[in-house]
């Protein structure tokens, strides 16, 4: 099982749609979870951290299910500017706990 | 006022050459990283330095040698470049070496080996 696996994508959705991305991770000792966003030919940027209780930031909602080792990202009312690749990120364990492992990313295209 | 900067942005070179990529952060962070993003878009950690000391050294060929002259700089030197080294190399920094800390990435250096 890959360390961090994401929906294969790409997701092509119309403006205004709600879209959800899923991610599973293999390391049960991981304690930190993030969603990063990467625009085409640009660097990754933190979108939001993911907390056990779930958290929301405007149109974006992140959920964590530790028992299933599953993370999700929900985007409501999609905008054209949301088009990007979304990277699921978790930290390692033990000596590598500050080391981040990135998923391959899910590409989202929001179409007018 | 760029937070994490890298030079050069593009690097095209022949196999067998030696090249360096420079990274600087002006955020006052203690920890810096080098990542490689290959053609399949996987972003993988290569090295991490905390206060000029190496703390992560993933399984990369020893042709890759990082150097941190001070905590604001982490350079990457690559010897005897190979075709498979073609990728985008990202530098990043975080305040401390903590898994809760946000990592800030530089704009990347697109390396093409011919």
């Amino acid at each position: 099982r890959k360390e961090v696996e994401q929906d294969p994508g790409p997701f092509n959705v119309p403006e205004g749609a709600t879209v959800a991305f899923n991610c599973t991770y293999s390391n049960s000792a991981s304690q930190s979870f993030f969603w990063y966003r990467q625009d085409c030919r640009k660097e990754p940027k933190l979108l939001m951290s993911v907390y056990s209780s779930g958290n929301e930031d405007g149109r974006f909602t992140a959920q964590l299910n530790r028992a299933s080792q599953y993370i999700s990202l929900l985007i409501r009312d999609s905008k054209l500017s949301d088009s990007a690749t979304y990277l699921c990120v978790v930290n390692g364990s033990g000596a590598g706990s500050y080391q981040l492992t990135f998923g391959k990313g899910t590409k989202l295209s929001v179409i007018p | 006022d760029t937070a994490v900067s890298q030079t050069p942005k593009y690097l095209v070179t022949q196999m067998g050459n030696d090249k360096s990529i420079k990274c600087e952060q002006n955020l006052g962070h203690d920890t810096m990283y080098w990542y490689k993003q290959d053609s399949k878009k996987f972003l993988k950690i290569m090295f991490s330095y905390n206060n000029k000391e190496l703390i992560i050294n993933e399984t990369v060929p020893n042709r890759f040698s990082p150097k941190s002259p001070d905590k604001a700089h982490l350079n990457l030197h690559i010897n005897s470049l190979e075709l498979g080294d073609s990728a985008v190399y990202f530098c990043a920094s975080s305040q401390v070496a903590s898994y809760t800390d946000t990592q800030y990435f530089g704009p990347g250096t697109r390396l093409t080996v011919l």
Side-chain angles (χ1 to χ4, degrees):
Chain A
R1 183 180 179 183
K2 289 199 179 83
E3 289 186 71
V4 179
E5 283 200 79
Q6 297 187 236
D7 280 349
F11 284 62
N12 299 314
V13 303
E15 269 186 289
T18 296
V19 61
F21 303 140
N22 304 318
C23 167
T24 56
Y25 61 95
S26 60
N27 186 348
S28 59
S30 291
Q31 296 184 55
S32 284
F33 310 91
F34 309 91
W35 284 100
Y36 275 69
R37 170 193 167 131
Q38 187 172 22
D39 291 288
C40 189
R41 299 178 80 87
K42 297 281 190 182
E43 71 273 22
K45 290 184 180 174
L46 178 68
L47 177 67
M48 59 198 301
S49 301
V50 187
Y51 303 118
S52 294
S53 52
N55 48 301
E56 190 173 305
D57 182 2
R59 298 180 292 108
F60 299 83
T61 301
Q63 298 275 355
L64 168 65
N65 183 322
R66 284 187 186 272
S68 304
Q69 293 178 213
Y70 170 98
I71 306 161
S72 66
L73 177 69
L74 183 79
I75 306 175
R76 289 181 299 279
D77 188 23
S78 300
K79 311 286 184 198
L80 295 176
S81 57
D82 294 334
S83 298
T85 296
Y86 290 83
L87 306 169
C88 177
V89 185
V90 307
N91 76 296
S93 61
S97 64
Y98 38 76
Q99 182 176 331
L100 298 183
T101 300
F102 286 75
K104 196 173 174 179
T106 301
K107 187 172 178 182
L108 171 66
S109 294
V110 181
I111 32 189
Chain B
D1 61 344
T2 307
V4 182
S5 58
Q6 294 179 228
T7 53
K9 195 167 180 183
Y10 299 95
L11 185 52
V12 181
T13 188
Q14 300 282 342
M15 271 176 58
N17 284 350
D18 302 338
K19 290 293 177 188
S20 291
I21 308 172
K22 296 189 174 183
C23 177
E24 176 181 359
Q25 54 94 4
N26 63 6
L27 297 166
H29 288 170
D30 282 348
T31 309
M32 296 184 72
Y33 311 82
W34 276 110
Y35 286 87
K36 178 180 179 180
Q37 189 169 41
D38 60 24
S39 57
K40 294 181 181 172
K41 304 299 182 189
F42 263 117
L43 194 64
K44 295 214 76 170
I45 183 83
M46 299 173 70
F47 301 101
S48 175
Y49 271 70
N50 187 55
N51 246 326
K52 302 193 297 174
E53 290 201 17
L54 181 66
I55 52 172
I56 294 174
N57 183 358
E58 284 299 294
T59 309
V60 300
N62 56 15
R63 299 182 293 105
F64 291 78
S65 51
K67 190 165 277 190
S68 182
D70 56 62
K71 73 174 195 177
H73 295 85
L74 181 62
N75 304 323
L76 183 65
H77 188 76
I78 316 171
N79 287 330
S80 303
L81 278 154
E82 299 177 358
L83 292 177
D85 297 333
S86 296
V88 182
Y89 292 84
F90 287 102
C91 177
S93 73
S94 62
Q95 192 154 15
V96 293
S98 164
Y99 53 73
T100 58
D101 234 29
T102 302
Q103 291 189 15
Y104 295 85
F105 284 78
T109 295
R110 189 169 294 273
L111 171 65
T112 303
V113 182
L114 305 173

